Amino acid sequence: GQSNIHLEGVEFRKNKITSKKEESQIEAAVLSHLDRYLEIEEILQVASIEWEKPREAPFPVRELAEAEIAAMSMRDHWDLGTNPIPSFAEFLEERGIKVMSMALPTSVSGLTCWANREGSKSVPVIVVNEVDTGERQRFTLSHELGHMVMEVADSIDEEKASHRFASALLMPADTIRTEIGRKRQSIALGELFALKELFGVSVQAIAYRCK
């Protein structure tokens, strides 16, 4: 049948330029996947959880440090403290964000969009590339959430702001300092792998966050 859903505000996380034709094909695949997703919810009579954004969102970001503040505000909104977040995709789903894993071109790590249906509220959607590692998918989810909840000034690189948001959300500064101390000149590989296990992100992401 004909879908009554349309997508708005589609934003891609790309490693390199993707053609408009390829982007259109991806959007069509997302729309088809989402249509089935929501139809299954209706068939099973599962109430679709509504997204409730924080009252302060979108968080204004006029300098990169404010992306960190935005991440901490999201943690406060969800009453997370500074603990690592297990099962991040499931966590987001339980808060009204539709998370989908799909086969995407290698040039695309993920995307965000809003799905609109007649007579219903807009539904936030995050899509990750199913071929990526779990650690990369987890970071992409956090990165794309940053795009959803921040309002980044034109003078700031939005991708860098979303990276800073993702790092702070998944690896709170206080937790990092508790684990490795406040002043370090080096870190052992074994420590990095222990932190990888704790936070569920790549060693590269941890090393950059420590820096």
Side-chain angles (χ1 to χ4, degrees):
Q2 295 296 315
S3 172
N4 65 346
I5 306 173
H6 64 277
L7 304 181
E8 292 183 351
V10 179
E11 292 189 27
F12 291 85
R13 184 182 176 200
K14 296 177 286 192
N15 302 322
K16 56 185 178 182
I17 298 299
T18 304
S19 69
K20 290 296 181 183
K21 179 180 179 181
E22 189 172 45
E23 287 186 2
S24 296
Q25 290 171 341
I26 294 170
E27 288 183 31
V30 169
L31 188 61
S32 176
H33 194 108
L34 182 62
D35 194 20
R36 295 195 298 273
Y37 184 120
L38 298 176
E39 188 174 358
I40 288 170
E41 281 191 339
E42 292 177 2
I43 291 170
L44 298 178
Q45 297 182 342
V46 177
S48 191
I49 301 171
E50 288 190 2
W51 158 249
E52 292 185 14
K53 72 175 183 179
R55 193 168 47 186
E56 303 87 354
F59 302 103
V61 175
R62 302 294 175 262
E63 55 185 45
L64 281 178
E66 290 182 329
E68 184 118 6
I69 296 171
M72 292 301 98
S73 297
M74 287 302 300
R75 278 186 159 267
D76 289 343
H77 175 69
W78 286 329
D79 196 25
L80 287 172
T82 58
N83 296 318
I85 308 171
S87 306
F88 192 46
E90 184 178 346
F91 176 85
L92 293 179
E93 289 247 321
E94 290 171 350
R95 280 144 190 85
I97 298 175
K98 303 303 182 189
V99 176
M100 302 192 304
S101 176
M102 296 176 56
L104 301 174
T106 55
S107 59
V108 179
S109 297
L111 63 94
T112 57
C113 62
W114 294 83
N116 288 318
R117 288 187 295 175
E118 190 175 343
S120 300
K121 290 185 177 180
S122 295
V123 177
V125 180
I126 300 179
V127 181
V128 294
N129 197 329
E130 66 181 19
V131 303
D132 286 345
T133 63
E135 290 88 357
R136 186 169 184 180
Q137 288 181 354
R138 186 176 170 86
F139 197 88
T140 295
L141 287 171
S142 186
H143 176 102
E144 297 299 341
L145 177 65
H147 282 295
M148 282 186 168
V149 300
M150 294 190 299
E151 185 176 17
V152 181
D154 292 340
S155 58
I156 302 296
D157 186 318
E158 188 170 354
E159 288 300 298
K160 286 184 178 179
S162 291
H163 264 64
R164 182 71 174 268
F165 174 93
S167 294
L169 184 69
L170 295 176
M171 299 171 280
D174 286 347
T175 307
I176 288 282
R177 294 187 185 110
T178 298
E179 293 294 326
I180 68 169
R182 288 183 173 271
K183 294 184 179 180
R184 294 283 295 272
Q185 297 299 318
S186 62
I187 186 167
L189 193 58
E191 290 179 282
L192 287 172
F193 279 109
L195 292 172
K196 171 178 162 50
E197 185 71 22
L198 177 66
F199 293 115
V201 298
S202 68
V203 166
Q204 182 183 13
I206 294 165
Y208 193 85
R209 179 66 170 153
C210 288
K211 180 177 180 293

